[in-house]
Amino acid sequence: MTRVLVVTAVAAERDAVCAVAGSCAAVTLPGGQELRRAAGLPVALDVLAAGVGPAAAAAGTATALTAAALAGQPYDLVVSAGIGGGFSPGPGSGAPLGSVVVADAIVAADLGAETPDGFVPVTELGFGTVAHRPDPALVRTVAAAAGAAAGTVVTVSTVTGSAARAAELAERHPGVLAEAMEGFGVAEAAAAHGVPVLEIRAVSNAVGPRDRAAWRIGDALAALTGAFQTLPGALTAPAGPAPDPPPRSASLTRGDSHVPRRTP
């Protein structure tokens, strides 16, 4: 059976994912964090609310992956999941309130340096990575099952609160659909353990001027539950013909992998 670790930021997101199962038992991880183990699904689904931000997400993900590996039950897939901001719809892009996005690139939006010529990503400084690209075939399958759009999801450490910042991010990352605060941290931990990664986001608010009255958190959490109702079927569906390899750039190379299928 395919084993999936889902990492959210907060308990409300965790509970929205757990709502797809008949029950979710609590399991305590080393360090005291509580994992919820879903029952009654065709995949083994564990859900962890690891905390807000990329550092907490990376730490919680690494802890859960290590514990599973030491127990002889490694995960086959890690999914960063939750609600997030959607960029305004435009020609061929955008994510309206209540929609679901599956990341085809998980990008650290603000990992780098400010220079007189503008922002420079850390990769251009000669360090690390700024993006993980999940397996394209898996992204297509999961997005199609969930009725979701596929596109870039950026990870930020500060939620966007102005039109100017939203425009800057959209210009720097053409085709970006959503922003959240944990995906890149989850992807970094998954890559360190050699486990494939996905990011699934339900849009609760528009990226831009901060207007809490316009947020639709309840609708987004319901959409997140709906997306995860389709995930087990997408992961257990027979594989189709192998697609042609996608074009790659130097900054989008880590995290490419397929989900191995386990048998009971």
Side-chain angles (χ1 to χ4, degrees), residues 71-89:
Q73 297 181 319
Y75 291 104
D76 301 301
L77 176 69
V78 180
V79 183
S80 176
I83 63 176
F87 283 82
S88 298

Side-chain angles (χ1 to χ4, degrees), residues 95-250:
L97 298 186
S99 66
V100 176
V101 174
V102 179
D104 62 11
I106 302 169
V107 179
D110 46 17
L111 183 59
E114 291 290 345
T115 76
D117 297 319
F119 177 80
V120 176
V122 71
T123 47
E124 292 186 20
L125 302 175
F127 304 101
T129 186
V130 294
H132 294 266
R133 186 178 290 276
D135 171 50
L138 182 61
V139 169
R140 287 194 296 269
T141 299
V142 171
T152 296
V153 177
V154 292
T155 299
V156 296
S157 294
T158 301
V159 173
T160 298
S162 69
R165 174 64 170 165
E168 178 189 350
L169 288 173
E171 181 179 2
R172 192 187 302 162
H173 305 285
V176 63
L177 294 182
E179 76 168 21
M181 301 182 73
E182 293 80 31
F184 186 76
V186 173
E188 283 282 274
H193 282 258
V195 181
V197 68
L198 284 176
E199 183 170 8
I200 300 174
R201 293 286 165 185
V203 176
S204 60
N205 58 280
V207 176
R210 191 171 176 82
D211 179 8
R212 289 295 299 270
W215 291 15
R216 297 293 180 266
I217 292 177
D219 292 343
L221 290 173
L224 188 65
T225 299
F228 273 87
Q229 287 173 333
T230 70
L231 183 66
L235 296 180
T236 56
D244 293 332
R248 299 160 69 102
S249 67

Side-chain angles (χ1 to χ4, degrees), residues 22-48:
S23 62
C24 278
V27 178
T28 302
L29 293 174
Q33 284 187 307
E34 187 178 87
L35 187 78
R36 296 292 176 89
R37 183 153 290 161
L41 300 174
V43 300
L45 193 71
D46 290 351
V47 192
L48 173 67

